[in-house]
């Protein structure tokens, strides 16, 4: 028996060792910084970049955005900007963050707290675009979002672009709570009409702020994030965001214990304890536990002569930090009378700045219950919830970034001559003053702005028809290795069983288009109604698999095919009035965008071809075109296409082409066959 003991011990040890590869990325989401470099890198290529960040600015692989930019030869990182607590997050609250030249990077690091909170023109003069990569904690009073708002304002004044790399709201996006900031009480801890818990990501906040700023703004959204996701569900490691926020417990406790600024009520132990001198801990705990606040238990605990409670958050999904904080203040006031700080015409008290109003202090002084205090701001809170709706990016389903979210401000044309006075227009019905409403509704936050390629650029669109198939993963692996994006035109009947491949295509930044359901020419080209019924069925299969309906499509056989003449219904169509003419006219009416090609690898002609022949076909056809759409096929018989792909990509790169995906709203060659 003893001779087996060493083997038994070894077996036990091996079960305790994580398997190989356990250090690989296991996050449920990809951050905005991941998505920028994986999908939308072209947005920063060739630009001088300034970056507002700190120690939290790391991607899902724990690589800092600073390092990602410094390793990137296509961009020039010219300046860094540090919010409160500094570039390393270790400067204590209230202490000025100084500016300096970085000893390693040899670029300026500008402090944006203390006396200089808004970037000056001098700070922005050497950049083209201002990137923001900061981890917020979901509270309006946390100054990282204030720095964002100030920076957006400065960028607007100096004509600079702003790009926000989105990150989770650690509290999730469903808790929206607390008094809303009133105009007289705006400050650096309340820069806009936000409640204490806003329930928005930093990217959504940027879109919200921009309704009054109007800067050229781009938000790079996260992948896989949902509205109800709290930080613990993201799979990301928490990086201490400031000296007193070392962990997620302090994040959730921040607004529950930290609302008593300027009163005897204080927090301790990184926002996990709340109390005051002389407070009866047990009575305090009884009142709070008796309120049955969701997700938390209050443990009585003294700290010297101070009495208070420690928060034990047992269900962070149900826990409401702000409501908990209001109850904690109201019950402390019931147990121990103390004066509330008053604002004057000359100075706003810190308590009122935190609350964003003087009404909460007045209600506390009157001995109002926590329920009465909460009901006092419910109407304003409802208005905010309605206002913020149009700026939200994420919903209940995992978000798939198909394009960056851009709010570009149109240039105002300058009149060459003084405008002649116009004859007043007659009043419109319902408008007795004869004035017109100059207030324009903001564009939807998710509407992309088409970007025309520069005239000197050479762009290649790699396209793959007829998949998904067993060959698709090989194609995707090659595209990922070479950091190239492509467009896949999908046949609906092939979707079932290959849903994971479609999700991978989208997740890795490629585009999907429709290519009919059946790919059966006899069915497709009999008549117009049959064609669109088949196409829609294919699009529905794609939408069911990935949650997004394709916006571009490719005709089987191309838009100028003649094979359709063979199958068109002779009772409805003839050589002068063909089924293809009818289909294309209807497609135009329906707003469909179709894409043909002007280069092909020849794999449609036969299944008996080699990778060398496919590459040779490409080389023969690529001449000096500015834009090329390359037709290739993706099916179980097209292994040589996958084999030839690395050579094709290398050849096109040598010819000076950059690779793009096809989008319906971006100017792209269409009928080029």
């Amino acid at each position: 028996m003893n001779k087996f003991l060493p083997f038994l011990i070894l077996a036990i040890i091996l079960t305790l060792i994580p398997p190989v590869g356990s250090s690989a990325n296991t996050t449920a989401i990809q951050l905005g910084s991941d998505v920028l470099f994986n999908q939308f890198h072209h947005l920063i290529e060739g630009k001088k970049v300034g970056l507002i960040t700190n120690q939290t600015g790391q991607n899902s692989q724990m690589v800092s955005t600073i390092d990602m930019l410094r390793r990137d030869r296509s961009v020039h990182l010219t300046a860094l900007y540090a919010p409160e607590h500094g570039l390393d997050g270790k400067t204590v609250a209230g202490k000025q963050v100084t500016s300096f030249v970085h000893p390693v990077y040899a670029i300026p690091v500008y402090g944006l707290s203390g006396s200089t909170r808004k970037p000056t023109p001098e700070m922005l003069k050497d950049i083209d675009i201002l990137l923001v990569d900061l981890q917020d904690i979901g509270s309006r009073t946390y100054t990282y979002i204030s720095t964002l708002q100030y920076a957006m304002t400065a960028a607007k004044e100096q004509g600079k672009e702003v790009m926000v790399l989105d990150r989770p709201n650690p509290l999730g996006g469903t808790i929206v709570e607390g008094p809303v900031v009133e105009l007289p009480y705006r400050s650096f801890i309340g820069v806009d009409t936000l409640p204490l818990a806003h329930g928005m990501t930093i990217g959504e906040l940027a879109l919200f702020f921009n309704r009054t700023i109007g800067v050229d703004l781009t938000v790079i959204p996260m992948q896989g994030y949902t509205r109800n996701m709290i930080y613990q569900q993201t799979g990301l490691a928490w990086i201490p965001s400031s000296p007193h926020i070392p962990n997620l417990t302090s994040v959730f406790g921040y607004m529950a214990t930290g609302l008593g600024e300027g009163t005897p009520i204080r927090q301790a132990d990184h926002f996990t304890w709340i109390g005051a001198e002389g407070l009866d801990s047990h009575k305090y705990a009884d009142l709070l536990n008796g309120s049955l606040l969701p997700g938390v238990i209050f443990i009585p605990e003294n700290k010297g002569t101070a009495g208070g409670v420690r928060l034990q958050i047992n269900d962070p999904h149900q826990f409401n930090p702000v409501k908990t904080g209001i109850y904690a203040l109201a019950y402390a006031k019931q147990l121990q009378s103390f004066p509330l700080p008053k604002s004057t015409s000359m100075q706003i008290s810190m308590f009122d700045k935190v609350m964003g109003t003087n009404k909460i202090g007045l209600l506390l002084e009157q001995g109002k219950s926590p329920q009465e205090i909460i009901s006092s701001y419910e109407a304003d809170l409802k208005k905010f919830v309605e206002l913020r709706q149009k700026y939200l990016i994420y919903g209940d389903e995992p978000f798939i970034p198909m394009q960056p979210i851009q709010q570009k401000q149109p240039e105002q044309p300058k009149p060459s001559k003084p405008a002649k006075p116009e004859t007043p227009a007659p009043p419109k019905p319902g408008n007795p003053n004869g004035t017109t409403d100059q207030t324009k509704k903001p564009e939807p936050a998710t509407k992309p702005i088409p970007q025309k390629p520069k005239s000197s650029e050479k762009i290649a669109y790699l396209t793959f028809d007829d998949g998904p198939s067993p060959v698709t993963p090989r194609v995707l692996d090659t595209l990922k290795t070479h950091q190239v994006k492509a467009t896949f035109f999908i046949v609906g009947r092939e979707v079932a069983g290959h849903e994971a491949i479609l999700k991978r295509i989208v997740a890795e930044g490629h585009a999907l288009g429709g290519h009919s359901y059946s790919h059966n020419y006899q069915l497709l080209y009999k008549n117009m109604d049959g064609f669109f019924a088949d196409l829609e069925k294919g699009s529905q299969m794609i939408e069911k698999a990935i949650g997004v309906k394709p916006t571009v499509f490719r005709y089987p056989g191309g838009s100028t095919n003649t094979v359709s003449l063979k199958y068109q219904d002779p009772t409805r169509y003839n050589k002068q009035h063909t089924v293809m003419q009818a289909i294309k006219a209807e497609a135009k009416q329906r707003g469909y965008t179709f894409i043909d090609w002007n280069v092909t690898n020849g794999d449609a002609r036969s299944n008996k071809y080699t990778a060398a022949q496919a590459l040779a076909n490409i080389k023969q056809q690529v001449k000096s075109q500015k834009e090329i759409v390359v037709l290739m096929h993706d099916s179980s018989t097209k292994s040589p296409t996958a084999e030839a792909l690395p050579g094709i990509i290398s050849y096109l790169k040598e010819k000076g082409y950059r690779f793009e995906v096809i989008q319906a709203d971006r100017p792209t060659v269409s009928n080029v066959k």
Side-chain angles (χ1 to χ4, degrees):
M1 180 67 182
N2 288 343
K3 67 181 179 180
F4 294 108
L5 189 58
F7 296 102
L8 180 61
I9 294 171
L10 178 61
I12 293 171
I13 292 172
L14 289 174
T15 63
L16 299 176
I17 298 174
V20 175
S22 62
S23 61
N25 181 25
T26 57
T27 61
I29 69 168
Q30 294 287 290
L31 295 166
S33 55
D34 297 304
V35 175
L36 171 65
F37 284 93
N38 289 339
Q39 289 184 231
F40 306 126
H41 182 264
H42 64 277
L43 296 176
I44 58 172
E45 286 175 6
K47 293 187 177 180
K48 293 183 291 185
V49 174
L51 174 64
I52 302 178
T53 193
N54 60 10
Q55 77 290 346
T56 66
Q58 299 185 26
N59 66 14
S60 61
Q61 299 295 304
M62 305 293 283
V63 179
S64 79
T65 304
I66 297 174
D67 286 341
M68 292 293 290
L69 290 170
R70 290 184 67 243
R71 295 172 187 172
D72 190 338
R73 295 184 179 181
S74 70
V75 300
H76 186 197
L77 180 62
T78 59
L80 294 170
Y81 307 83
E84 186 180 11
H85 308 298
L87 199 61
D88 60 1
K90 295 180 179 178
T91 303
V92 296
K95 187 176 180 181
Q96 173 130 352
V97 176
T98 57
S99 298
F100 60 96
V101 175
H102 199 284
V104 177
Y105 309 146
I107 57 176
V109 180
Y110 298 111
L112 296 180
S113 72
S115 59
T116 307
R117 292 170 173 170
K118 178 181 171 184
T120 65
E122 179 69 18
M123 292 177 179
L124 298 176
K125 69 181 178 64
D126 292 327
I127 71 166
D128 300 317
I129 186 169
L130 188 61
L131 263 65
V132 182
D133 193 14
L134 291 168
Q135 178 60 61
D136 179 41
I137 68 167
S139 170
R140 184 248 299 151
T141 64
Y142 208 62
T143 60
Y144 293 173
I145 65 171
S146 306
T147 295
L148 166 68
Q149 198 266 5
Y150 278 43
M152 289 173 63
T153 303
K156 170 63 176 178
E157 294 169 355
Q158 300 305 313
K160 308 294 184 180
E161 300 175 52
V162 175
M163 178 181 289
V164 178
L165 309 183
D166 210 4
R167 291 181 166 274
N169 183 324
L171 307 177
T174 58
I175 298 293
V176 183
E177 187 63 63
V180 177
V181 174
E182 297 171 358
L183 188 59
Y185 298 92
R186 287 197 181 184
S187 70
F188 195 54
I189 57 173
V191 294
D192 207 332
T193 52
L194 296 171
L196 278 164
H198 46 72
M200 301 170 80
T201 68
I202 195 167
E204 292 172 331
L205 283 168
L207 296 170
F208 180 82
F209 292 154
N210 207 36
R211 79 196 189 284
T212 59
I213 297 171
V215 72
D216 280 355
L217 173 66
T218 300
V219 175
I220 305 298
M222 294 174 281
Q223 178 185 301
Y225 187 70
T226 65
R227 178 114 246 114
N228 61 1
M229 185 179 281
I230 61 175
Y231 202 88
Q232 290 90 327
Q233 295 174 292
T234 66
L236 299 165
W238 178 256
I239 300 168
S241 57
S242 58
H244 288 293
I245 308 290
N247 50 45
L248 288 171
T249 303
S250 58
V251 171
F252 280 79
Y254 179 78
M255 288 181 285
T257 65
L259 301 183
E261 287 279 354
T263 76
I265 307 302
R266 62 183 175 88
Q267 64 83 24
D269 300 338
H270 306 308
F271 300 100
T272 59
W273 181 92
I274 183 171
E277 291 294 322
L279 198 65
D280 188 314
S281 297
H282 290 278
K283 288 183 179 179
Y284 195 32
D286 287 345
L287 282 171
L288 286 166
N289 285 322
S291 66
L292 301 178
L293 287 164
V296 62
I297 297 173
F298 302 91
I299 311 298
E301 181 180 313
N302 292 334
K303 284 190 171 294
T305 57
V309 294
R310 181 168 297 281
L311 275 63
Q312 183 175 305
I313 300 170
N314 51 31
D315 188 348
H317 275 288
Q318 298 297 318
F319 179 65
N320 188 315
V322 180
K323 274 190 179 178
T324 302
I326 297 292
Y327 272 77
L329 285 176
Y331 285 147
K333 188 74 169 66
Q334 286 183 21
L335 291 173
Q336 186 183 89
S337 180
F338 54 82
L340 273 296
K342 298 286 194 305
S343 296
T344 68
S345 58
M346 301 296 292
Q347 186 174 5
I348 306 298
S349 73
M350 182 56 72
F351 183 84
D352 288 348
K353 285 182 180 179
V354 169
M355 294 299 171
T357 175
N358 67 341
K359 293 174 183 174
I360 306 302
L362 294 173
L363 292 169
L364 285 168
E365 275 203 330
Q366 295 166 18
K368 298 296 183 181
S369 69
Q371 295 90 339
E372 290 174 308
I373 295 172
I374 289 167
S375 67
S376 72
Y377 58 72
E378 283 182 345
D380 289 336
L381 193 61
K382 183 179 179 181
K383 290 178 184 176
F384 167 76
V385 169
E386 293 171 355
L387 176 63
R388 79 165 192 157
Q389 187 63 37
K390 65 172 69 78
Y391 305 104
L392 301 182
I393 301 171
Y394 309 96
D396 296 333
E397 295 297 321
F399 188 82
I400 300 174
M402 303 294 286
Q403 54 216 355
I405 298 165
Q406 295 179 309
Q407 288 182 337
K408 296 285 186 182
Q409 303 306 312
E411 294 183 7
Q412 298 298 323
K414 296 179 180 179
S416 56
K417 296 180 181 179
K420 294 181 180 180
E422 296 181 359
T423 304
K428 291 185 178 182
N431 193 344
N433 297 323
T435 57
T436 55
D437 184 6
Q438 298 298 318
T439 304
K440 293 183 179 180
K441 292 183 180 180
E443 291 293 320
T446 54
K447 183 178 180 179
I449 303 298
Q451 297 178 346
K452 292 184 179 180
K454 297 174 183 177
S455 59
S456 60
E457 285 185 316
K458 297 170 70 175
I459 301 178
Y461 300 92
L462 301 183
T463 67
F464 297 87
D465 286 11
D466 299 353
S469 78
V471 171
T472 317
R474 291 175 57 191
V475 171
L476 290 171
D477 289 344
T478 298
L479 294 172
K480 188 172 185 179
T481 298
H482 292 268
Q483 296 184 329
V484 165
K485 306 305 178 188
T487 303
F488 293 78
F489 289 98
I490 301 301
V491 173
R493 70 183 182 194
E494 302 296 336
V495 170
H498 290 133
E499 291 87 352
I501 294 179
L502 291 193
K503 290 177 181 178
R504 180 184 170 187
I505 288 172
V506 175
E508 293 183 1
H510 308 291
L512 286 178
H515 196 43
S516 80
Y517 172 79
S518 66
H519 206 272
N520 184 324
Y521 289 9
Q522 186 173 357
L523 295 175
L524 283 166
Y525 294 126
K526 183 177 182 181
N527 57 59
M528 183 188 72
D529 295 333
F531 176 87
F532 283 103
D534 193 280
L535 180 67
E536 279 299 312
K537 185 177 180 181
S539 295
Q540 288 168 9
M541 293 294 292
I542 296 170
E543 185 176 16
K544 184 178 178 181
I546 64 168
V548 178
K549 192 173 183 179
T551 56
V552 296
F553 78 99
R554 174 170 283 161
Y555 293 106
S559 69
T560 59
N561 75 77
T562 56
V563 70
S564 56
L565 295 171
K566 178 180 178 181
Y567 299 110
Q568 66 185 18
D569 184 348
T571 65
R572 297 177 62 179
Y573 308 102
N574 53 48
K575 289 185 178 181
Q576 286 71 43
H577 175 57
T578 68
V579 70
M580 279 306 301
Q581 291 172 343
I583 289 171
K584 286 194 284 186
E586 180 65 18
K588 187 175 181 180
Q589 288 293 321
R590 297 190 184 195
Y592 284 91
T593 300
F594 73 85
I595 304 294
D596 278 339
W597 59 90
N598 56 358
V599 173
T600 175
N601 69 348
D603 62 359
R605 300 171 195 160
S606 169
N607 290 332
K608 296 180 179 179
Y609 68 103
T610 66
Q613 289 170 335
L615 176 57
N617 285 330
I618 298 288
K619 289 183 176 181
Q620 185 179 7
Q621 295 171 59
V622 174
K623 303 186 188 305
S624 57
Q625 303 102 308
K626 289 295 183 183
E627 276 189 313
I628 58 172
V629 179
V630 183
L631 171 66
M632 294 174 278
H633 286 80
D634 170 18
S635 66
S636 58
T637 60
K638 305 302 180 185
S639 289
T641 292
E643 187 181 340
L645 187 56
I648 291 170
I649 292 171
S650 297
Y651 173 73
L652 293 177
K653 284 184 176 180
E654 290 171 7
K655 297 283 285 184
Y657 286 95
R658 110 177 136 73
F659 299 87
E660 283 282 3
V661 299
I662 292 171
Q663 296 181 19
D665 48 16
R666 182 175 295 180
T668 305
V669 287
S670 55
N671 189 10
V672 297
K673 182 167 174 268

